Amino acid sequence: MAQTNINIRIDETDKRLFDEICGQLGMTMSTAFNIFAKAVIRQGGIPFDLSLSRPSAETLEAIADVNQRRNLSGPFQSRDALREALDA
């Protein structure tokens, strides 16, 4: 199988730490990247979750309420008044 080279830009500190971990695992960085590439090919995508953290519908509704100043409570003049409102 023919080999080819690729160039990757990475933060210097990340490279050092990555190289140290690869060494502790008994492999080179090149081997680690090859393992990653094979996993991507085998799974047909990145082999770990890359999803964005998105707020739930309930959270989005609460954010909209605050932005539109709806369904707000307070201000409270004391902790007892706050507790009463929370218990209600």
Side-chain angles (χ1 to χ4, degrees), residues 74-86:
F76 300 100
Q77 302 304 315
S78 68
R79 286 182 292 186
D80 290 335
L82 171 61
R83 283 191 187 115
E84 284 180 29
L86 290 172

Side-chain angles (χ1 to χ4, degrees), residues 5-6 18 21 23 25 28-29 33 43 49 55 57-59 63 70-72:
N5 289 322
I6 61 171
F18 182 62
I21 292 170
L25 293 169
T28 64
M29 288 190 297
F33 281 114
Q43 293 187 18
D49 185 25
E58 182 180 11
T59 300
I63 291 169
R70 296 185 309 227
N71 302 318
L72 301 177

